[in-house]
Amino acid sequence: WTKAAEGGVDSARVMLAKLHLRLIGPPPGRDEEPNLKAAIEVLGPAVERQFPDALFLVSSIDRFNFDPPDKKKAARYLLAAAREGHARAQGVLARELGGPWVLPDDLPFNLELPPNPADARRWAELAAAQDDGYGLLVMACINENKGDDVEAKRYCERAKALKYMHATILESIWYN
């Protein structure tokens, strides 16, 4: 991954950052602590080039790894990733802008964005159009929250067809 990153492959930079953060790995026999500084450093060029996976990972880093979290910076990177077409970022942004509902794998970023149901729906629709399981469940919740159980179930079924396990959990909460 290092050679690929040095050659300008942004996806390799994301993988190296995940290694530094211990989101994947470490290789057997290497019990090193997460290295936040190295992760941010390796992501820098990919973020400058607006690589969506890098932007999304940085939004998570800013949210989780600083005390206090830099919520404005995290929101800025999350929005940038969503604008670049990152489906999960679009779904997470929709969740942040959406209602008080809870998803089975819900871990809101809690970025303190003002609620905006119209924008939430727009971002969720974009994520769902890419068959992102999380985006589909956000759309299901948006529809269930407005009383449209038929549409909610349709989105939930689409997520189930994609083997997104949380769709089955959500459906069991609603209908059992």
PDB file of all heavy atoms in Angstrom, residues 118-145:
ATOM      1  N   ALA A 118     -36.044  18.178   4.484  1.00  0.00           N
ATOM      2  CA  ALA A 118     -35.965  18.151   3.016  1.00  0.00           C
ATOM      3  C   ALA A 118     -34.560  17.740   2.561  1.00  0.00           C
ATOM      4  O   ALA A 118     -34.411  16.894   1.666  1.00  0.00           O
ATOM      5  CB  ALA A 118     -36.339  19.511   2.437  1.00  0.00           C
ATOM      6  N   ASP A 119     -33.523  18.330   3.181  1.00  0.00           N
ATOM      7  CA  ASP A 119     -32.160  17.943   2.828  1.00  0.00           C
ATOM      8  C   ASP A 119     -31.864  16.512   3.258  1.00  0.00           C
ATOM      9  O   ASP A 119     -31.155  15.779   2.560  1.00  0.00           O
ATOM     10  CB  ASP A 119     -31.142  18.895   3.457  1.00  0.00           C
ATOM     11  CG  ASP A 119     -30.965  20.175   2.657  1.00  0.00           C
ATOM     12  OD1 ASP A 119     -31.496  20.267   1.531  1.00  0.00           O
ATOM     13  OD2 ASP A 119     -30.293  21.094   3.166  1.00  0.00           O
ATOM     14  N   ALA A 120     -32.403  16.104   4.406  1.00  0.00           N
ATOM     15  CA  ALA A 120     -32.207  14.724   4.858  1.00  0.00           C
ATOM     16  C   ALA A 120     -32.740  13.756   3.808  1.00  0.00           C
ATOM     17  O   ALA A 120     -32.072  12.784   3.450  1.00  0.00           O
ATOM     18  CB  ALA A 120     -32.904  14.499   6.200  1.00  0.00           C
ATOM     19  N   ARG A 121     -33.917  14.018   3.326  1.00  0.00           N
ATOM     20  CA  ARG A 121     -34.518  13.143   2.308  1.00  0.00           C
ATOM     21  C   ARG A 121     -33.689  13.148   1.026  1.00  0.00           C
ATOM     22  O   ARG A 121     -33.442  12.110   0.439  1.00  0.00           O
ATOM     23  CB  ARG A 121     -35.959  13.565   2.021  1.00  0.00           C
ATOM     24  CG  ARG A 121     -36.628  12.661   1.015  1.00  0.00           C
ATOM     25  CD  ARG A 121     -38.106  12.995   0.807  1.00  0.00           C
ATOM     26  NE  ARG A 121     -38.716  11.885   0.136  1.00  0.00           N
ATOM     27  CZ  ARG A 121     -39.295  10.848   0.713  1.00  0.00           C
ATOM     28  NH1 ARG A 121     -39.371  10.786   2.017  1.00  0.00           N
ATOM     29  NH2 ARG A 121     -39.802   9.869   0.005  1.00  0.00           N
ATOM     30  N   ARG A 122     -33.232  14.317   0.607  1.00  0.00           N
ATOM     31  CA  ARG A 122     -32.444  14.418  -0.624  1.00  0.00           C
ATOM     32  C   ARG A 122     -31.162  13.597  -0.510  1.00  0.00           C
ATOM     33  O   ARG A 122     -30.825  12.825  -1.412  1.00  0.00           O
ATOM     34  CB  ARG A 122     -32.112  15.886  -0.914  1.00  0.00           C
ATOM     35  CG  ARG A 122     -31.324  16.102  -2.192  1.00  0.00           C
ATOM     36  CD  ARG A 122     -31.159  17.579  -2.504  1.00  0.00           C
ATOM     37  NE  ARG A 122     -30.412  18.318  -1.509  1.00  0.00           N
ATOM     38  CZ  ARG A 122     -29.076  18.434  -1.493  1.00  0.00           C
ATOM     39  NH1 ARG A 122     -28.358  17.869  -2.432  1.00  0.00           N
ATOM     40  NH2 ARG A 122     -28.480  19.125  -0.554  1.00  0.00           N
ATOM     41  N   TRP A 123     -30.437  13.725   0.597  1.00  0.00           N
ATOM     42  CA  TRP A 123     -29.192  12.964   0.769  1.00  0.00           C
ATOM     43  C   TRP A 123     -29.476  11.473   0.896  1.00  0.00           C
ATOM     44  O   TRP A 123     -28.737  10.642   0.354  1.00  0.00           O
ATOM     45  CB  TRP A 123     -28.413  13.478   1.968  1.00  0.00           C
ATOM     46  CG  TRP A 123     -27.765  14.807   1.734  1.00  0.00           C
ATOM     47  CD1 TRP A 123     -28.055  15.986   2.366  1.00  0.00           C
ATOM     48  CD2 TRP A 123     -26.741  15.113   0.784  1.00  0.00           C
ATOM     49  NE1 TRP A 123     -27.270  16.990   1.867  1.00  0.00           N
ATOM     50  CE2 TRP A 123     -26.446  16.492   0.895  1.00  0.00           C
ATOM     51  CE3 TRP A 123     -26.038  14.357  -0.153  1.00  0.00           C
ATOM     52  CZ2 TRP A 123     -25.482  17.118   0.115  1.00  0.00           C
ATOM     53  CZ3 TRP A 123     -25.076  14.995  -0.937  1.00  0.00           C
ATOM     54  CH2 TRP A 123     -24.809  16.347  -0.798  1.00  0.00           C
ATOM     55  N   ALA A 124     -30.540  11.119   1.606  1.00  0.00           N
ATOM     56  CA  ALA A 124     -30.894   9.700   1.747  1.00  0.00           C
ATOM     57  C   ALA A 124     -31.269   9.095   0.399  1.00  0.00           C
ATOM     58  O   ALA A 124     -30.912   7.947   0.101  1.00  0.00           O
ATOM     59  CB  ALA A 124     -32.034   9.534   2.746  1.00  0.00           C
ATOM     60  N   GLU A 125     -31.984   9.841  -0.419  1.00  0.00           N
ATOM     61  CA  GLU A 125     -32.351   9.345  -1.754  1.00  0.00           C
ATOM     62  C   GLU A 125     -31.112   9.091  -2.605  1.00  0.00           C
ATOM     63  O   GLU A 125     -31.039   8.092  -3.335  1.00  0.00           O
ATOM     64  CB  GLU A 125     -33.282  10.337  -2.464  1.00  0.00           C
ATOM     65  CG  GLU A 125     -34.690  10.323  -1.918  1.00  0.00           C
ATOM     66  CD  GLU A 125     -35.571  11.426  -2.471  1.00  0.00           C
ATOM     67  OE1 GLU A 125     -35.043  12.431  -3.044  1.00  0.00           O
ATOM     68  OE2 GLU A 125     -36.808  11.312  -2.324  1.00  0.00           O
ATOM     69  N   LEU A 126     -30.122   9.984  -2.499  1.00  0.00           N
ATOM     70  CA  LEU A 126     -28.881   9.788  -3.253  1.00  0.00           C
ATOM     71  C   LEU A 126     -28.147   8.536  -2.784  1.00  0.00           C
ATOM     72  O   LEU A 126     -27.631   7.764  -3.606  1.00  0.00           O
ATOM     73  CB  LEU A 126     -27.982  11.022  -3.127  1.00  0.00           C
ATOM     74  CG  LEU A 126     -28.464  12.265  -3.867  1.00  0.00           C
ATOM     75  CD1 LEU A 126     -27.662  13.486  -3.444  1.00  0.00           C
ATOM     76  CD2 LEU A 126     -28.377  12.055  -5.373  1.00  0.00           C
ATOM     77  N   ALA A 127     -28.086   8.321  -1.478  1.00  0.00           N
ATOM     78  CA  ALA A 127     -27.430   7.116  -0.955  1.00  0.00           C
ATOM     79  C   ALA A 127     -28.198   5.862  -1.355  1.00  0.00           C
ATOM     80  O   ALA A 127     -27.609   4.860  -1.785  1.00  0.00           O
ATOM     81  CB  ALA A 127     -27.314   7.201   0.568  1.00  0.00           C
ATOM     82  N   ALA A 128     -29.517   5.913  -1.234  1.00  0.00           N
ATOM     83  CA  ALA A 128     -30.355   4.761  -1.587  1.00  0.00           C
ATOM     84  C   ALA A 128     -30.240   4.431  -3.074  1.00  0.00           C
ATOM     85  O   ALA A 128     -30.244   3.260  -3.458  1.00  0.00           O
ATOM     86  CB  ALA A 128     -31.811   5.028  -1.206  1.00  0.00           C
ATOM     87  N   ALA A 129     -30.107   5.445  -3.906  1.00  0.00           N
ATOM     88  CA  ALA A 129     -29.977   5.225  -5.353  1.00  0.00           C
ATOM     89  C   ALA A 129     -28.695   4.461  -5.685  1.00  0.00           C
ATOM     90  O   ALA A 129     -28.603   3.833  -6.743  1.00  0.00           O
ATOM     91  CB  ALA A 129     -30.012   6.559  -6.093  1.00  0.00           C
ATOM     92  N   GLN A 130     -27.716   4.497  -4.768  1.00  0.00           N
ATOM     93  CA  GLN A 130     -26.470   3.750  -4.958  1.00  0.00           C
ATOM     94  C   GLN A 130     -26.517   2.392  -4.248  1.00  0.00           C
ATOM     95  O   GLN A 130     -25.497   1.733  -4.094  1.00  0.00           O
ATOM     96  CB  GLN A 130     -25.284   4.569  -4.440  1.00  0.00           C
ATOM     97  CG  GLN A 130     -25.051   5.844  -5.204  1.00  0.00           C
ATOM     98  CD  GLN A 130     -23.857   6.578  -4.652  1.00  0.00           C
ATOM     99  OE1 GLN A 130     -22.731   6.094  -4.729  1.00  0.00           O
ATOM    100  NE2 GLN A 130     -24.100   7.760  -4.081  1.00  0.00           N
ATOM    101  N   ASP A 131     -27.709   2.002  -3.807  1.00  0.00           N
ATOM    102  CA  ASP A 131     -27.898   0.742  -3.084  1.00  0.00           C
ATOM    103  C   ASP A 131     -27.051   0.642  -1.815  1.00  0.00           C
ATOM    104  O   ASP A 131     -26.554  -0.422  -1.457  1.00  0.00           O
ATOM    105  CB  ASP A 131     -27.647  -0.468  -3.994  1.00  0.00           C
ATOM    106  CG  ASP A 131     -28.805  -0.718  -4.945  1.00  0.00           C
ATOM    107  OD1 ASP A 131     -29.936  -0.300  -4.628  1.00  0.00           O
ATOM    108  OD2 ASP A 131     -28.573  -1.330  -6.003  1.00  0.00           O
ATOM    109  N   ASP A 132     -26.897   1.752  -1.122  1.00  0.00           N
ATOM    110  CA  ASP A 132     -26.220   1.746   0.167  1.00  0.00           C
ATOM    111  C   ASP A 132     -27.226   1.303   1.223  1.00  0.00           C
ATOM    112  O   ASP A 132     -28.282   1.939   1.387  1.00  0.00           O
ATOM    113  CB  ASP A 132     -25.685   3.142   0.482  1.00  0.00           C
ATOM    114  CG  ASP A 132     -25.020   3.198   1.839  1.00  0.00           C
ATOM    115  OD1 ASP A 132     -23.957   2.569   2.002  1.00  0.00           O
ATOM    116  OD2 ASP A 132     -25.576   3.849   2.745  1.00  0.00           O
ATOM    117  N   GLY A 133     -26.928   0.237   1.936  1.00  0.00           N
ATOM    118  CA  GLY A 133     -27.850  -0.302   2.923  1.00  0.00           C
ATOM    119  C   GLY A 133     -28.253   0.706   3.979  1.00  0.00           C
ATOM    120  O   GLY A 133     -29.420   0.809   4.353  1.00  0.00           O
ATOM    121  N   TYR A 134     -27.291   1.469   4.470  1.00  0.00           N
ATOM    122  CA  TYR A 134     -27.588   2.470   5.486  1.00  0.00           C
ATOM    123  C   TYR A 134     -28.521   3.543   4.908  1.00  0.00           C
ATOM    124  O   TYR A 134     -29.503   3.931   5.537  1.00  0.00           O
ATOM    125  CB  TYR A 134     -26.288   3.093   5.995  1.00  0.00           C
ATOM    126  CG  TYR A 134     -26.465   3.995   7.189  1.00  0.00           C
ATOM    127  CD1 TYR A 134     -26.568   3.459   8.466  1.00  0.00           C
ATOM    128  CD2 TYR A 134     -26.521   5.372   7.049  1.00  0.00           C
ATOM    129  CE1 TYR A 134     -26.733   4.282   9.572  1.00  0.00           C
ATOM    130  CE2 TYR A 134     -26.674   6.208   8.144  1.00  0.00           C
ATOM    131  CZ  TYR A 134     -26.783   5.650   9.409  1.00  0.00           C
ATOM    132  OH  TYR A 134     -26.950   6.474  10.489  1.00  0.00           O
ATOM    133  N   GLY A 135     -28.216   4.004   3.698  1.00  0.00           N
ATOM    134  CA  GLY A 135     -29.073   5.002   3.048  1.00  0.00           C
ATOM    135  C   GLY A 135     -30.483   4.495   2.833  1.00  0.00           C
ATOM    136  O   GLY A 135     -31.462   5.235   2.999  1.00  0.00           O
ATOM    137  N   LEU A 136     -30.604   3.222   2.461  1.00  0.00           N
ATOM    138  CA  LEU A 136     -31.929   2.623   2.283  1.00  0.00           C
ATOM    139  C   LEU A 136     -32.699   2.611   3.602  1.00  0.00           C
ATOM    140  O   LEU A 136     -33.906   2.894   3.629  1.00  0.00           O
ATOM    141  CB  LEU A 136     -31.808   1.209   1.715  1.00  0.00           C
ATOM    142  CG  LEU A 136     -31.375   1.140   0.249  1.00  0.00           C
ATOM    143  CD1 LEU A 136     -30.889  -0.260  -0.107  1.00  0.00           C
ATOM    144  CD2 LEU A 136     -32.516   1.561  -0.669  1.00  0.00           C
ATOM    145  N   LEU A 137     -32.008   2.301   4.701  1.00  0.00           N
ATOM    146  CA  LEU A 137     -32.702   2.287   6.000  1.00  0.00           C
ATOM    147  C   LEU A 137     -33.062   3.694   6.460  1.00  0.00           C
ATOM    148  O   LEU A 137     -34.103   3.885   7.097  1.00  0.00           O
ATOM    149  CB  LEU A 137     -31.864   1.575   7.056  1.00  0.00           C
ATOM    150  CG  LEU A 137     -31.758   0.074   6.915  1.00  0.00           C
ATOM    151  CD1 LEU A 137     -31.200  -0.540   8.191  1.00  0.00           C
ATOM    152  CD2 LEU A 137     -33.074  -0.571   6.550  1.00  0.00           C
ATOM    153  N   VAL A 138     -32.228   4.667   6.127  1.00  0.00           N
ATOM    154  CA  VAL A 138     -32.597   6.049   6.458  1.00  0.00           C
ATOM    155  C   VAL A 138     -33.872   6.421   5.693  1.00  0.00           C
ATOM    156  O   VAL A 138     -34.799   7.012   6.262  1.00  0.00           O
ATOM    157  CB  VAL A 138     -31.444   7.030   6.158  1.00  0.00           C
ATOM    158  CG1 VAL A 138     -31.905   8.478   6.301  1.00  0.00           C
ATOM    159  CG2 VAL A 138     -30.265   6.764   7.087  1.00  0.00           C
ATOM    160  N   MET A 139     -33.929   6.054   4.405  1.00  0.00           N
ATOM    161  CA  MET A 139     -35.156   6.317   3.634  1.00  0.00           C
ATOM    162  C   MET A 139     -36.350   5.574   4.228  1.00  0.00           C
ATOM    163  O   MET A 139     -37.454   6.114   4.286  1.00  0.00           O
ATOM    164  CB  MET A 139     -34.971   5.917   2.163  1.00  0.00           C
ATOM    165  CG  MET A 139     -34.245   6.938   1.324  1.00  0.00           C
ATOM    166  SD  MET A 139     -35.015   8.578   1.295  1.00  0.00           S
ATOM    167  CE  MET A 139     -36.615   8.217   0.567  1.00  0.00           C
ATOM    168  N   ALA A 140     -36.132   4.351   4.683  1.00  0.00           N
ATOM    169  CA  ALA A 140     -37.218   3.600   5.326  1.00  0.00           C
ATOM    170  C   ALA A 140     -37.720   4.352   6.560  1.00  0.00           C
ATOM    171  O   ALA A 140     -38.929   4.497   6.759  1.00  0.00           O
ATOM    172  CB  ALA A 140     -36.744   2.193   5.698  1.00  0.00           C
ATOM    173  N   CYS A 141     -36.797   4.849   7.365  1.00  0.00           N
ATOM    174  CA  CYS A 141     -37.179   5.577   8.581  1.00  0.00           C
ATOM    175  C   CYS A 141     -37.886   6.888   8.258  1.00  0.00           C
ATOM    176  O   CYS A 141     -38.857   7.249   8.927  1.00  0.00           O
ATOM    177  CB  CYS A 141     -35.952   5.842   9.444  1.00  0.00           C
ATOM    178  SG  CYS A 141     -35.323   4.368  10.271  1.00  0.00           S
ATOM    179  N   ILE A 142     -37.397   7.582   7.256  1.00  0.00           N
ATOM    180  CA  ILE A 142     -38.050   8.838   6.855  1.00  0.00           C
ATOM    181  C   ILE A 142     -39.497   8.564   6.471  1.00  0.00           C
ATOM    182  O   ILE A 142     -40.418   9.277   6.885  1.00  0.00           O
ATOM    183  CB  ILE A 142     -37.277   9.508   5.690  1.00  0.00           C
ATOM    184  CG1 ILE A 142     -35.966  10.110   6.209  1.00  0.00           C
ATOM    185  CG2 ILE A 142     -38.132  10.569   5.005  1.00  0.00           C
ATOM    186  CD1 ILE A 142     -35.025  10.606   5.123  1.00  0.00           C
ATOM    187  N   ASN A 143     -39.718   7.502   5.686  1.00  0.00           N
ATOM    188  CA  ASN A 143     -41.082   7.176   5.256  1.00  0.00           C
ATOM    189  C   ASN A 143     -41.925   6.640   6.398  1.00  0.00           C
ATOM    190  O   ASN A 143     -43.108   6.991   6.518  1.00  0.00           O
ATOM    191  CB  ASN A 143     -41.029   6.183   4.092  1.00  0.00           C
ATOM    192  CG  ASN A 143     -40.663   6.877   2.806  1.00  0.00           C
ATOM    193  OD1 ASN A 143     -41.455   7.620   2.249  1.00  0.00           O
ATOM    194  ND2 ASN A 143     -39.448   6.672   2.339  1.00  0.00           N
ATOM    195  N   GLU A 144     -41.348   5.824   7.248  1.00  0.00           N
ATOM    196  CA  GLU A 144     -42.095   5.287   8.392  1.00  0.00           C
ATOM    197  C   GLU A 144     -42.493   6.419   9.329  1.00  0.00           C
ATOM    198  O   GLU A 144     -43.598   6.455   9.851  1.00  0.00           O
ATOM    199  CB  GLU A 144     -41.232   4.248   9.120  1.00  0.00           C
ATOM    200  CG  GLU A 144     -42.027   3.321  10.023  1.00  0.00           C
ATOM    201  CD  GLU A 144     -42.193   3.853  11.429  1.00  0.00           C
ATOM    202  OE1 GLU A 144     -41.408   4.724  11.846  1.00  0.00           O
ATOM    203  OE2 GLU A 144     -43.118   3.397  12.118  1.00  0.00           O
ATOM    204  N   ASN A 145     -41.590   7.380   9.507  1.00  0.00           N
ATOM    205  CA  ASN A 145     -41.847   8.508  10.390  1.00  0.00           C
ATOM    206  C   ASN A 145     -42.997   9.377   9.882  1.00  0.00           C
ATOM    207  O   ASN A 145     -43.724   9.972  10.676  1.00  0.00           O
ATOM    208  CB  ASN A 145     -40.572   9.340  10.543  1.00  0.00           C
ATOM    209  CG  ASN A 145     -40.630  10.265  11.732  1.00  0.00           C
ATOM    210  OD1 ASN A 145     -41.033   9.871  12.809  1.00  0.00           O
ATOM    211  ND2 ASN A 145     -40.230  11.504  11.527  1.00  0.00           N
TER     212      ASN A 145
END
